[in-house]
Amino acid sequence: MTESPAAKLTNGDVSQRVKNGLKPERNGLLKSLQRCHERQTKHQCHPEKEVHAASHHDSLYRRPFIESFEETPMLVAVLTYMGYGILTIFGYLRDFLRHWKIERCHIAREKEEQKEFVPLYQDFENFYTRNLYMRIRDNWNRPICSVPGAKMDLMERASLDYNWTFEYTGRVVHDVINLGSYNYLGFAENTGPCADSAAEVTMKYGVGVASTRQEIGNLDRHEELEKLVAKFLGVESAMAFGMGFATNSMNIPALAGKGCLILSDELNHASLVLGARLSGSTIRVFKHNNMQSLEKQLREAIVHGQPRTHRPWKKILIVVEGIYSMEGSIVRLPEVIALKKRYQAYLYLDEAHSIGALGPRGRGVVDYFGLDPCDVDVMMGTFTKSFGAAGGYIAGKKELIEYLHSHSHSAVYAASMSPPVVEQIITSMKCIMGEDGTTIGSKRVQQLAENTVYFRKRLREMGFIIYGNEDSPVVPMMLYMPAKIGAFGREMLKRNIGVVVVGFPATPIIESRARFCISAAHTKDMLDRALSVISEVGDLLQLKYSRHRIQPSLVRPFDDNVYDDIDD
């Protein structure tokens, strides 16, 4: 393995010591690769430092690329499997009682006269829903009645039948700290220039366009938005769509088809998976962020060609994300681009979570690594997160966008974006770019980076297992056991902290987690309050699983020059 910046010590030495009991990491390196780097001390390496994964192509990275995925403790894994096993056994027992009318059954099912019909509901999926998910259903679909900013208001609800139905109590829970929304730059707000501009445009254009772009739904605001997106990303042209999910699922089939090969990261979003399947292309999956796995797939594709005929593939498309929303992981883009160039493949980059949230100028993972946007063939992103709006975009060369204008189902058949939504995007994007005459946007980008580093480091100091890249505002904290999924969400809400908890099948069965999304709108007091509550609930539920504690720092651990080594 070649020496990487992430494996170097501050004094120039390299730590290659491997800790016992750690498994190989998803990216082909060892999870046990130790990065002994202290921001305060230059000549000490503590053996209890967090385990990290590092890049092995130092020439491609301008900054250390640090990601951590600590292994699930064996006892926790065993207890988690036992928990799911017990829930399954009791689930079948309850189904037996429901079958004999001993227990009331609330599930959606076929009527008696439809017994001979083809089943409308999948049996096991329905079993999981009614016996496992339903027990902790109160942690999801909570109705909010305010702007989903740094704080929000929730409508209180109660259930008298174990979460089958809910009743509203009429009480509103005020000032809940919001750690779940994708409001990375804090533009989800009802005051300020974005809200004022959207209100003004609503008065002029109305709320809906009632037509497609190709008919009479193409507004001047749509044209301005697309020019601004292209300028923001540094590419020739861009195209906007009304729905982020459809941007992937409807445009990938326009770019690839029969005789094409799609190489997809195993953790890609459902919209990318659906788009690949709808395209009719051959799909091969490579291990998450594993460049050895990707290169192997590329080599085999070039050598063997299409199945049976062995003809060359018409097109090879590599599909990756900027930030993986369940792992908090950042794509190894410099290495992906190097492989793409070497094997003459195309690259489709989904920046749904990374656009606005990464890079010194908030321009996504390409900006984060200081790369040329022209090296990415298809740049996709959404406006639903950092811009506080809705919809998505595809950007790249002019020929690509002209082709999509006539071949994309999202462009031909979907209704145009709502004018106030368009204006929200334009105003927030100009703010990030500094074209509004202020430095508010750049300050928010820097504040998000600072909040991210601070929040992640504090959680590690407390002893929680945290996944992902140290610069990712998506922060997964491992819960593991099924009973703790619901308990954590409820206990946090009792203390006025709103969080998102995730379990199987959205995650592997022994990797249930809470997912925090950090925002530039969060103040240090809010984060400290949230961290205090997380620590309290973590002690209550015994969630501090990490065996690699790091020493608490006395000052806020953030380097003000975190982006200074990337050229503007």
Side-chain angles (χ1 to χ4, degrees), residues 32 45 218 273 285 329 372:
S32 54
C45 180
N218 189 31
V273 175
V285 178
S329 176
D372 186 353

mmCIF file of all heavy atoms in Angstrom, residues 32 45 218 273 285 329 372:
data_model
loop_
_atom_site.group_PDB
_atom_site.id
_atom_site.type_symbol
_atom_site.label_atom_id
_atom_site.label_comp_id
_atom_site.label_asym_id
_atom_site.label_seq_id
_atom_site.Cartn_x
_atom_site.Cartn_y
_atom_site.Cartn_z
ATOM 1 N N SER A 32 -8.637 -0.706 10.156
ATOM 2 C CA SER A 32 -7.744 -0.493 11.280
ATOM 3 C C SER A 32 -6.556 0.398 10.948
ATOM 4 O O SER A 32 -5.643 0.521 11.746
ATOM 5 C CB SER A 32 -7.235 -1.850 11.767
ATOM 6 O OG SER A 32 -6.671 -2.557 10.704
ATOM 7 N N CYS A 45 1.249 10.478 19.783
ATOM 8 C CA CYS A 45 0.282 9.617 19.107
ATOM 9 C C CYS A 45 -0.375 8.728 20.147
ATOM 10 O O CYS A 45 0.274 7.871 20.714
ATOM 11 C CB CYS A 45 0.975 8.765 18.050
ATOM 12 S SG CYS A 45 -0.134 7.683 17.177
ATOM 13 N N ASN A 218 -42.787 27.248 -20.144
ATOM 14 C CA ASN A 218 -41.377 27.639 -20.073
ATOM 15 C C ASN A 218 -41.292 29.128 -19.743
ATOM 16 O O ASN A 218 -41.458 29.981 -20.615
ATOM 17 C CB ASN A 218 -40.681 27.340 -21.406
ATOM 18 C CG ASN A 218 -39.177 27.513 -21.306
ATOM 19 O OD1 ASN A 218 -38.594 27.300 -20.247
ATOM 20 N ND2 ASN A 218 -38.553 27.918 -22.398
ATOM 21 N N VAL A 273 -30.895 3.520 -8.580
ATOM 22 C CA VAL A 273 -31.142 2.102 -8.840
ATOM 23 C C VAL A 273 -32.338 1.935 -9.778
ATOM 24 O O VAL A 273 -32.289 1.169 -10.747
ATOM 25 C CB VAL A 273 -31.388 1.347 -7.517
ATOM 26 C CG1 VAL A 273 -31.772 -0.102 -7.787
ATOM 27 C CG2 VAL A 273 -30.148 1.414 -6.628
ATOM 28 N N VAL A 285 -22.695 -4.128 -9.915
ATOM 29 C CA VAL A 285 -22.515 -3.355 -8.682
ATOM 30 C C VAL A 285 -21.101 -3.548 -8.157
ATOM 31 O O VAL A 285 -20.605 -4.680 -8.091
ATOM 32 C CB VAL A 285 -23.543 -3.796 -7.620
ATOM 33 C CG1 VAL A 285 -23.338 -3.039 -6.319
ATOM 34 C CG2 VAL A 285 -24.962 -3.592 -8.141
ATOM 35 N N SER A 329 -20.605 9.120 4.025
ATOM 36 C CA SER A 329 -19.359 8.881 3.296
ATOM 37 C C SER A 329 -19.283 9.780 2.066
ATOM 38 O O SER A 329 -20.303 10.070 1.435
ATOM 39 C CB SER A 329 -19.298 7.410 2.878
ATOM 40 O OG SER A 329 -18.163 7.138 2.105
ATOM 41 N N ASP A 372 -11.682 19.640 -11.879
ATOM 42 C CA ASP A 372 -12.279 20.320 -13.023
ATOM 43 C C ASP A 372 -13.674 19.755 -13.270
ATOM 44 O O ASP A 372 -13.825 18.544 -13.481
ATOM 45 C CB ASP A 372 -11.404 20.101 -14.262
ATOM 46 C CG ASP A 372 -11.887 20.894 -15.469
ATOM 47 O OD1 ASP A 372 -12.969 21.516 -15.382
ATOM 48 O OD2 ASP A 372 -11.190 20.887 -16.500
#
